[in-house]
Amino acid sequence: MKLATIANGSRDGRLAVVSRDLSRAVYADGISGTLQAALDDWATTEAPLRELAAALEGGSAPGSFAFDPRQALAPLPRAHHWVDGSAYVNHVELVRKARGAEMPASFWTEPLVYQGGGDDLLGAMADVPLPAEEHGIDLEGEVAVVTDDVPIGTTALEARGRIRLLMLVNDWSLRNLIPAELAKGFGFYQSKPATAFSPVAITPDELGQAWDGGKVHLPLVVHLNGQLLGRPNAGVDMTFDFGQLIAHVTRTRRLGAGAIVGSGTVSNYDRSQGSCCLAEVRTLETLARGAPRTPFMKFGDLVRIEMFDAAGHSLFGAIEQRVVQPP
């Protein structure tokens, strides 16, 4: 099942079910008005939503319409909780090398996470207003899960059963603001502007054998200005799977329904697969040649992030965004 939030002038949009080929949609009126409301009562809403999805696939859903991802907000335009991990530790190691920071050995045994701002999440095709090119504008291609209620002290195995939806992510970063901000010892804030998500969120069964309960075993394909940046496989070199990430963040607190947990930038040791962010590209250039050659993003640059199944069909739709100056 694929779900989207269509813009309707409200902050939280209107919930719609989307066909598997992303061509048609139908509003979920009478079941749930918003995705957050559906997740709040998933035990009651899941079955009728799946029935509506089946009717849409069979061509019998009344009121269906052509799905336009340009009209889609983030599946959860406002999330009560957005926490991002760094599950691909080889990526963390590289990026820390770029800023001359040592990597503690514990990074390989315990997940690293930060809590992002959930009040302003961007739609997949929304322009991204950022204040200055000098801040070092960078994309970060990721995968994320959306949870049901998760109790405190949930184990990694139990946490897998609490995953309700998956999305793609562009976790924008301002690289030149990060070192000074982290040096204060209190984490990211100004260096992590609003995060963007794919036009649809999908239930895990949509992934078939590519989903093992904790990882997505498919390439994440990233283009910058029409040129392939990378297609690393999200299921390869993921040091901590989503069950482990959820278990980590619920060690001392619970998660509420609709919490989003990100994987961090997808990265493979096989560098022939390319990268999902410019910081990794620049670090590899520095290690190979002594200095980076690839610049960070400029106003007008266009990024596209997408994931395809084995038959070449887009699973989540594309994140396609242009960096612009604020109005």
Side-chain angles (χ1 to χ4, degrees):
M1 178 168 59
K2 301 190 178 188
L3 302 171
T5 294
I6 307 299
N8 67 348
S10 72
R11 292 180 185 267
D12 298 305
R14 188 178 178 186
L15 179 61
V17 174
V18 180
S19 62
R20 285 196 171 94
D21 66 1
L22 304 176
S23 67
R24 305 289 297 172
V26 61
Y27 289 119
D29 298 345
I31 303 173
S32 187
T34 67
L35 181 54
Q36 181 61 58
L39 289 161
D40 286 340
D41 196 20
W42 192 248
T44 299
T45 59
E46 181 185 11
L49 285 171
R50 287 189 178 276
E51 290 173 5
L52 184 59
L56 181 62
E57 292 298 324
S60 61
S64 69
F65 55 92
F67 177 62
D68 183 355
R70 294 170 296 183
Q71 298 301 314
L73 305 175
L76 286 166
R78 294 188 292 178
H80 295 306
H81 199 120
W82 155 229
V83 57
D84 199 18
S86 286
Y88 300 87
V89 180
N90 77 88
H91 166 79
V92 182
E93 188 174 40
L94 279 173
V95 173
R96 288 178 71 89
K97 279 183 181 179
R99 61 174 189 263
E102 293 291 327
M103 195 177 86
S106 63
F107 279 30
W108 292 100
T109 58
E110 186 176 51
L112 178 69
V113 301
Y114 84 92
Q115 188 167 353
D119 60 322
D120 180 27
L121 303 179
L122 301 178
M125 304 192 77
D127 286 344
V128 183
L130 295 171
E133 294 176 342
E134 292 76 19
H135 289 165
I137 302 167
D138 199 359
L139 62 124
E140 289 193 63
E142 307 183 11
V143 181
V145 298
V146 181
T147 74
D148 200 346
D149 293 306
V150 187
I152 187 171
T154 297
T155 67
L157 182 59
E158 292 168 339
R160 288 181 168 210
R162 301 282 179 163
I163 295 169
R164 296 292 171 255
L165 301 168
L166 294 100
M167 304 181 291
L168 301 184
V169 186
N170 188 358
D171 185 40
W172 291 96
S173 290
L174 301 177
R175 297 293 184 186
N176 293 339
L177 299 185
I178 288 176
E181 196 163 35
L182 293 185
K184 296 177 182 178
F186 216 50
F188 299 117
Y189 194 82
Q190 289 183 341
S191 53
K192 301 299 288 188
T195 306
F197 293 86
S198 51
V200 301
I202 70 174
T203 50
D205 56 286
E206 291 290 329
L207 292 166
Q209 294 183 346
W211 174 248
D212 68 4
K215 300 179 183 180
V216 181
H217 293 270
L218 289 170
L220 185 63
V221 184
V222 178
H223 287 84
L224 180 58
N225 295 324
Q227 300 296 313
L228 180 66
L229 188 67
R231 44 176 293 112
N233 191 301
V236 175
D237 303 319
M238 189 180 190
T239 308
F240 306 104
D241 69 19
F242 282 111
Q244 292 170 297
L245 291 175
I246 295 168
H248 177 75
V249 299
T250 56
R251 180 184 178 191
T252 57
R253 60 165 298 155
R254 61 183 180 178
L255 289 180
I260 304 172
V261 180
S263 67
T265 306
V266 177
S267 178
N268 289 169
Y269 277 110
D270 180 1
R271 304 305 178 194
S272 69
Q273 299 305 308
S275 300
C276 287
C277 75
L278 294 175
E280 186 170 292
V281 172
R282 288 166 56 88
T283 298
L284 292 169
E285 290 172 345
T286 299
L287 293 174
R289 303 179 182 90
R293 297 189 303 176
T294 300
F296 287 120
M297 294 178 69
K298 305 293 185 183
F299 295 133
D301 283 353
L302 182 71
V303 61
R304 185 179 178 95
I305 300 172
E306 200 163 7
M307 182 175 278
F308 302 90
D309 65 16
H313 303 126
S314 182
L315 286 162
F316 301 85
I319 298 174
E320 187 170 273
Q321 296 184 298
R322 193 175 301 278
V323 176
V324 299
Q325 291 178 289

